[in-house]
Amino acid sequence: IAGITQAPTSQILAAGRRMTLRCTQDMRHNAMYWYRQDLGLGLRLIHYSNTAGTTGKGEVPDGYSVSRANTDDFPLTLASAVPSQTSVYFCASSEDSSGANVPTFGAGSRLTVL
Amino acid sequence: GQNIDQPTEMTATEGAIVQINCTYQTSGFNGLFWYQQHAGEAPTFLSYNVLDGLEEKGRFSSFLSRSKGYSYLLLKELQMKDSASYLCAPMDSNYQLIWGAGTKLIIKP
């Protein structure tokens, strides 16, 4: 693993199903983020974690949950998927959460909820 | 509220120069990032400005005026591979990035 890895790359999911998007980084970054990207809109922050063991809500947290049991992993869970959660999801990490620490993005997970 | 404004789409010719503008309003300010995103790919970092002025990095330069809430990304000697979306993202007082919708840059031969 080099950098930040997301899985799955893409997924089609029936509404009402539970889904976990995985994110792993090997850079020992303290801060991690989950964004969604929809056509015509900027990246929107779902949840973030400034350090292992802590999480926080972003701009659009409803319907999503996260955990940060260790430094490397930051899974995003949709407890009961709805069609409005169809989007491209990006995980990102940075050395810490302040100033000039540059977020590095994973390749993204394309999720379609039918 | 927090707001980012950048043009939706721009077209330029290979070999030319293009300037992509971004105006922003945020609650506090801790610098501004520019990212490049090719279609279907992840955003990749281009530049970071925290003080007023021009930062030059090869063919790409980025300018910031904090008093005007304004930044631009200048791309010189355009190449076909520069066709991408360019995302402006100021960082607010909570160190959260606020993302614009991006400017899609189309390069024509």
Side-chain angles (χ1 to χ4, degrees), chain B residues 25-62:
Chain B
Q25 290 179 309
T26 54
S27 301
F29 181 78
N30 281 297
L32 186 143
F33 292 79
W34 282 95
Y35 276 74
Q36 180 191 61
Q37 186 176 25
H38 286 100
E41 298 184 7
T44 55
F45 171 75
L46 290 176
S47 69
Y48 171 71
N49 294 64
V50 66
L51 299 176
D52 290 352
L54 188 68
E55 294 277 346
E56 296 185 79
K57 193 184 293 185
R59 294 190 299 116
F60 292 6
S61 303
S62 55

Side-chain angles (χ1 to χ4, degrees), chain B residues 74-104:
Chain B
L74 190 71
L75 292 74
K76 302 176 185 175
E77 301 169 16
L78 286 169
Q79 302 174 10
M80 297 303 293
K81 68 178 182 179
D82 296 331
S83 292
S85 289
Y86 292 86
L87 313 180
C88 170
M91 180 174 274
D92 70 11
S93 58
N94 293 320
Y95 297 101
Q96 297 291 354
L97 287 172
I98 311 301
W99 296 85
T103 298
K104 183 177 180 180

Side-chain angles (χ1 to χ4, degrees), chain A residues 42-88:
Chain A
L43 289 160
R44 291 183 291 169
L45 184 65
I46 304 170
H47 285 286
Y48 65 92
S49 170
N50 289 332
T51 189
T54 69
T55 63
K57 293 182 179 180
E59 180 187 357
V60 288
D62 294 345
Y64 306 94
S65 63
V66 292
S67 61
R68 187 88 185 276
N70 57 60
T71 298
D72 299 345
D73 301 301
F74 191 44
L76 176 74
T77 297
L78 290 68
S80 179
V82 295
S84 62
Q85 292 177 311
T86 294
S87 188
V88 180

